[in-house]
Amino acid sequence: MAVNLSATLAANEDIERRRRAGQHVVNLAFGEAGLPVHPALREKLVAASGRNGYGPVAGAAELRDAAAGYWTRRRLITEPAQVVCGPGSKSLLYGLLLAIGGDVVLTKPSWVSYAAQADLVGSSPILVPPPPGEGGTPDPELVAEAVLAARALGRTVKSVLVTLPDNPTGLLAPERTLRRLVEVARELDLYIISDEIYRDLLHDPGLSYTSPADLAPERALLTTGLSKSLALGGWRIGVARLPDGADDLRRRLLAVASEIWSAPAAPVQEAAAYAFTDPPELTERIAMSRRLHGTLANAVRDRFLAIGASVPAPHGGFYLYPDLGHLGLGGAAEVTRLLLERHGIGVLPGHAFGDDPAAARVRVAVSLLYGDTNEERTAALNSTDPLSLPWVKASLDHVALGLAELAVSFPEPSHALAI
């Protein structure tokens, strides 16, 4: 099976090559949290650095206890036996798809790795758009139609995957949509896999949040991690919450884990166990991060709105999903090429997320605008007015100028850059 490098990683590497060659490129393509590690987490990691044993496949007892407490404090009563840990929620999602088997329903568009992972495990993803104006959750009525049609052709469909809030759109599906999806999942006997890696990064902490596990605890599987909320992407740690009593599924997931990653890194597990207890200093850091992500996301959205783009207001994370179709410059690949090659702005084309290639929609990530050094990123995190910081303002001005120039461009023959 031919497997390509992830579109997000490929775009990031291409942008870095251009920067090393002396080009000025503002990187809005890579979804890294863009913030320093909290000192307390570094201390925990250093203190645990002598732990070099493999440990249990499901994860250390301390981490499973902490993760169970994390979900319980969010109204999802959880026992440690329901928790399985892995080297990132991305690995756990792959393991769950493999353990569940069958085909999976995905939102169109959805994060680049979902469809790729489905292909890797031999599943044929079924792409279903969200309800109009929503993101992260496929339209329940269309899910029912698609699943029944697939089963009529002899396909085995076992799960539907949602993202709350969403990558690439930054939107949070409302409770009414999730309630109807739960009804469909029960009618058709589907697992609901819910990727909740951005749950703690809602821009408005008062926004109502509904997890599928709130509504269907018997069939909802949740994944999360620390790569987004605490900017620990490079540490590679994640946790999954399985339904109570899903013993057979747990055994299959642990069998997959035992043959792929054996056990998460022991020192990182110890630091993660501390993080998942929600200590005050980390709760404060997440709140500051949430505020910064929201401020920059809305500032970049304003730049796109200024040239007439359609851009839904994001609810969480650090993503936007502008539609530039009104400019008449072609599909997403051509718009992405023009932004990068002519205007020094790196974004990802919507078709990388399963969207229609003819649509001029792109995924924008704002989290690398905070600075190039830890000192700059810390200053942005602590600032009451991060938009006024010179390096942030310079990047925003670059984006505004590039978009203004793009808006007066004329279509030319396509030489789309493959990323």
Side-chain angles (χ1 to χ4, degrees):
M1 177 185 296
V3 180
N4 296 318
L5 184 66
S6 166
T8 52
L9 297 175
N12 190 58
E13 291 180 7
D14 178 53
I15 289 168
E16 288 308 310
R17 282 193 297 269
R18 290 171 181 270
R19 283 177 159 179
R20 288 194 296 271
Q23 297 183 38
H24 183 196
V25 180
V26 171
N27 190 351
L28 301 179
F30 196 43
E32 187 166 52
L35 292 168
V37 179
H38 193 284
L41 285 166
R42 292 202 306 269
E43 291 172 6
K44 293 290 183 181
L45 186 65
V46 170
S49 60
R51 294 184 57 183
N52 61 347
Y54 282 106
V57 176
E62 296 84 356
L63 177 52
R64 288 185 286 116
D65 286 343
Y70 167 88
W71 276 304
T72 297
R73 287 188 296 278
R74 286 155 180 79
R75 308 188 316 277
L76 295 172
I77 304 302
T78 306
E79 297 297 328
Q82 295 174 251
V83 178
V84 174
C85 312
S89 60
K90 187 174 184 177
S91 301
L92 288 165
L93 286 165
Y94 175 81
L96 286 170
L97 290 175
L98 196 56
I100 292 169
D103 293 340
V104 59
V105 179
L106 304 176
T107 312
K108 178 183 181 179
S110 56
W111 182 44
V112 297
S113 289
Y114 296 151
Q117 288 190 349
D119 289 338
L120 284 171
V121 303
S123 170
S124 296
I126 300 170
L127 301 180
V128 175
E134 299 183 19
T137 300
D139 188 311
E141 307 308 326
L142 299 180
V143 169
E145 293 175 13
V147 171
L148 291 173
R151 287 177 174 172
L153 296 174
R155 293 170 62 178
T156 301
V157 187
K158 291 190 174 182
S159 61
V160 56
L161 201 163
V162 303
T163 319
L164 304 169
D166 184 38
N167 172 12
T169 67
L171 302 178
L172 178 66
E175 182 177 343
R176 64 179 182 276
T177 299
L178 290 167
R179 284 193 178 279
R180 179 57 186 141
L181 183 65
V182 163
E183 291 174 359
V184 169
R186 284 180 170 141
E187 292 166 5
L188 301 178
D189 193 21
L190 299 171
Y191 280 115
I192 302 176
I193 306 170
S194 185
D195 181 350
E196 302 189 0
I197 192 76
Y198 298 98
R199 173 172 184 157
D200 292 336
L201 292 181
L202 292 179
H203 301 160
D204 176 3
L207 185 65
S208 177
Y209 186 99
T210 302
S211 169
D214 293 318
L215 307 173
E218 81 284 0
R219 64 182 61 250
L221 302 86
L222 313 184
T223 61
T224 192
L226 304 174
S227 61
K228 308 304 180 183
S229 62
L230 286 167
L232 297 181
W235 287 25
R236 308 312 305 140
I237 191 71
V239 290
R241 180 190 188 275
L242 306 184
D244 188 24
D247 297 335
D248 188 54
L249 177 60
R250 185 177 187 274
R251 280 192 294 271
R252 294 198 300 273
L253 178 57
L254 291 180
V256 170
S258 71
E259 300 297 352
I260 297 179
W261 61 77
S262 299
V268 177
Q269 287 191 76
E270 188 158 318
Y274 159 72
F276 276 117
T277 63
D278 292 323
E281 59 270 31
L282 296 190
T283 300
E284 180 186 20
R285 165 59 69 89
I286 292 170
M288 295 167 67
S289 304
R290 184 168 59 230
R291 183 174 62 247
L292 179 62
H293 297 323
T295 299
L296 266 293
N298 282 287
V300 174
R301 177 175 182 255
D302 287 343
R303 273 66 179 173
F304 278 91
L305 291 174
I307 64 163
S310 173
V311 195
H315 297 133
F318 27 80
Y319 302 116
L320 301 168
Y321 202 62
D323 188 333
L324 298 161
H326 70 294
L327 297 179
L329 298 173
E334 181 67 357
V335 170
T336 299
R337 182 188 75 82
L338 290 170
L339 282 170
L340 180 60
E341 295 185 356
R342 287 190 172 189
H343 307 293
I345 301 171
V347 298
L348 279 181
H351 62 74
F353 301 86
D355 208 346
D356 181 358
R361 289 184 283 269
V362 297
R363 205 285 304 270
V364 171
V366 306
S367 46
L368 295 185
L369 295 178
Y370 309 151
D372 293 329
T373 66
N374 277 345
E375 290 74 19
E376 288 182 347
R377 295 168 190 140
T378 300
L381 186 67
N382 291 325
S383 176
T384 57
D385 183 18
L387 304 184
S388 68
L389 296 173
W391 57 92
V392 175
K393 184 177 184 302
S395 292
L396 291 173
D397 289 347
H398 180 93
V399 170
L401 177 61
L403 290 175
E405 291 173 345
L406 180 74
V408 297
S409 299
F410 295 94
E412 66 175 17
S414 175
H415 305 287
L417 181 70
I419 62 173

